[in-house]
Amino acid sequence: MSMLFYPVIVILALWHAPQEAVRIHKEAIVVDGHNDLLMSVMHGENIENRRKAGHSDLVRLREGGVDVQVFSIWVPPDSKHDRGYTGYADEEIDSLDAILSRNRDRVEKVTNIVELQRCLKRGKLACLYGMEGGHPIGNRLENLYHFFERGVRSLGLTWNNSTSWATSARDEAAGKKGGLSSFGRKIVRAMDSLGMLIDISHLGPSAVKDVLAETRNPVIASHSSCDLLAHHYRNLTDDQLRAIARNGGVVMVNFYPRFLDSAVTKAEMQKLKRFAREWKVVAGKYNDNPTRLRKERITFLAARYPQVHATLRRVADHIDHVVLVAGIDHVGIGSDYDGISVAPLGLEDVTHLPELTAELLRRGYSEASIKKILGGNFIRVFSRVCVN
Ligand SMILES: [Zn+2]
């Protein structure tokens, strides 16, 4: 081949890749394991139209090619509701139900594989209800049945705060012992017989071990990344990745920069140290309001030094790592959009998702493998577990 033609071929190849990626992305069943849009709803925002703020809304989810979205039902620890955590969660479900019923032409609530496939055939976004943190269950098994009746099909046993029957990753990292109590194990068995996905994201290592010993179903980690690439209590160690693979489950990679790249956390810690005195004054005002404190911390850090960014390529690195350690059948994506303060460069909002597919294609994944990563693996676990 004459060297003269070489640049022409390179240009064609560059054009070819994105088109091919867009086709694969369109054909694939794209599942996002975790989205916190409901938090914005609870703050009074309209997510039915395109918003300027945040990472997603019903319009942008479609533009990003998402076919199945797990919506997180999460109760802030400092929330005040006259029926406590349970009442707050019920209110969130009421709100999501109302949004879906107003938008029947484009979204549908699904609770099993038959409904999911029917919904996708109609060209609508399939919405799965996933509870993040078992606090609304309290110590009553009846509450688990109640939320199952309301359509909840996955439950993360804790958030950062532990329940009385399961210890969180944050608490275990701080030295708390426990894992699952006997009631926690009862919850796991009840979820198995109801046909509910057990979500181990946010659980501490001993609780994860206890879950894997107790359940007879494959589990999901709806939004967790790899500890070896970014050491953090929220990430999963290689041993855990292998254990989840043996269980037949799926690890859905989180996009939060601090879970992707230790350099981001390091830079933020340095900033807090450097501006410690100033931060103490700000933090002092919000000590009794953890939600506000988190927000203020983000604003404080962002205003004082350029952000250290994680990138789309780093998300793909985490996917690569799960594939390397656990295998191609055990990886997915769990963006955590609208629950994270910043998104990686290149994945600024959900409409950028096809670019992740393009990156996977560039890295040499086959079309079949990409389809497994984008959603096929989750669908396998969902159809095995959520049979009711
Ligand atoms: Zn979370």
Side-chain angles (χ1 to χ4, degrees):
M1 182 196 305
S2 142
M3 283 306 286
L4 199 66
F5 293 111
Y6 187 63
V8 179
I9 289 163
V10 169
I11 288 164
L12 281 178
L14 282 175
W15 273 101
H16 182 66
Q19 271 176 353
E20 180 72 347
V22 168
R23 179 188 65 75
I24 294 172
H25 196 82
K26 266 192 189 149
E27 276 180 29
I29 300 178
V30 178
V31 182
D32 179 10
H34 196 91
N35 178 298
D36 277 308
L37 257 182
L38 258 181
M39 263 163 62
S40 308
V41 173
M42 296 305 277
H43 292 141
E45 281 184 50
N46 181 336
I47 62 149
E48 295 162 58
N49 304 321
R50 184 187 298 278
R51 310 183 293 158
K52 278 212 178 86
H55 308 124
S56 64
D57 45 58
L58 294 190
V59 180
R60 281 186 286 170
L61 280 168
R62 296 313 272 158
E63 284 177 9
V66 176
D67 297 295
V68 181
Q69 181 64 64
V70 183
F71 286 103
S72 163
I73 296 152
W74 172 72
V75 182
D78 54 335
S79 69
K80 293 184 178 52
H81 194 283
D82 50 3
R83 286 200 302 117
Y85 282 101
T86 314
Y88 192 96
D90 267 326
E91 213 174 282
E92 286 183 281
I93 295 173
D94 291 343
S95 305
L96 190 52
D97 280 349
I99 290 168
L100 300 198
S101 66
R102 280 198 295 273
N103 295 278
R104 271 177 218 201
D105 55 324
R106 53 185 177 141
V107 286
E108 234 171 72
K109 179 180 191 169
V110 300
T111 58
N112 57 46
I113 190 68
V114 178
E115 289 177 5
L116 186 142
Q117 279 164 342
R118 197 171 50 208
C119 170
L120 295 185
K121 216 177 249 171
R122 292 172 177 154
K124 299 186 197 177
L125 173 70
C127 304
L128 267 165
Y129 288 26
M131 188 169 274
E132 182 174 23
H135 310 83
I137 311 295
N139 292 311
R140 291 165 54 90
L141 211 51
E142 292 84 345
N143 284 334
L144 180 73
Y145 299 131
H146 165 74
F147 288 114
F148 179 84
E149 281 305 316
R150 296 214 64 188
V152 174
R153 286 297 178 273
S154 88
L155 171 67
L157 304 188
T158 71
W159 182 61
N160 282 336
N161 49 343
S162 300
T163 54
S164 59
W165 38 270
T167 44
S168 72
R170 188 176 68 185
D171 288 345
E172 283 198 26
K176 185 169 177 158
K177 295 207 167 46
L180 283 190
S181 71
S182 62
F183 183 72
R185 286 196 291 275
K186 218 177 194 174
I187 291 274
V188 166
R189 289 195 297 273
M191 288 177 73
D192 277 357
S193 42
L194 282 169
M196 264 177 113
L197 294 166
I198 300 170
D199 181 0
I200 60 100
S201 281
H202 280 290
L203 281 187
S206 63
V208 173
K209 226 181 203 167
D210 290 350
V211 166
L212 292 175
E214 193 68 36
T215 184
R216 50 183 163 75
N217 280 339
V219 300
I220 61 164
S222 69
H223 58 310
S224 290
S225 300
C226 306
D227 190 69
L228 195 86
L229 300 193
H231 179 54
H232 195 287
Y233 62 78
R234 272 284 283 108
N235 283 346
L236 297 168
T237 63
D238 284 3
D239 279 347
Q240 288 180 309
L241 295 178
R242 279 187 282 266
I244 292 166
R246 281 196 299 275
N247 156 274
V250 54
V251 174
M252 308 175 87
V253 169
N254 191 313
F255 293 1
Y256 187 41
R258 282 179 75 169
F259 301 158
L260 294 173
D261 199 332
S262 306
V264 176
T265 313
K266 207 172 145 196
E268 288 186 2
M269 289 305 147
Q270 278 170 352
K271 275 191 263 182
L272 278 181
K273 218 168 158 187
R274 185 158 184 177
F275 297 101
R277 210 178 294 160
E278 215 182 315
W279 168 239
K280 220 173 153 187
V281 178
V282 181
K285 288 189 221 161
Y286 306 107
N287 271 339
D288 53 347
N289 186 346
T291 310
R292 182 71 192 270
L293 185 65
R294 266 197 304 279
K295 254 189 194 159
E296 291 297 331
R297 188 173 178 276
I298 292 157
T299 322
F300 182 89
L301 289 170
R304 272 159 192 82
Y305 258 74
Q307 287 283 108
V308 175
H309 286 289
T311 63
L312 174 150
R313 297 222 305 272
R314 193 70 183 157
V315 174
D317 290 347
H318 281 257
I319 292 174
D320 283 351
H321 189 74
V322 182
V323 172
L324 185 75
V325 177
I328 188 66
D329 293 318
H330 304 286
V331 61
I333 48 175
S335 68
D336 215 348
Y337 275 140
D338 285 301
I340 54 181
S341 47
V342 265
L345 286 181
L347 283 168
E348 286 82 354
D349 75 2
V350 70
T351 63
H352 290 266
L353 267 190
E355 285 153 45
L356 182 59
T357 301
E359 176 64 19
L360 296 174
L361 200 58
R362 269 195 293 276
R363 289 186 183 209
Y365 284 100
S366 70
E367 182 171 338
S369 294
I370 293 175
K371 286 179 176 170
K372 282 183 179 186
I373 297 167
L374 290 178
N377 290 331
F378 176 87
I379 296 291
R380 180 194 74 235
V381 172
F382 177 72
S383 34
R384 158 107 192 264
V385 176
C386 297
V387 288
N388 296 310

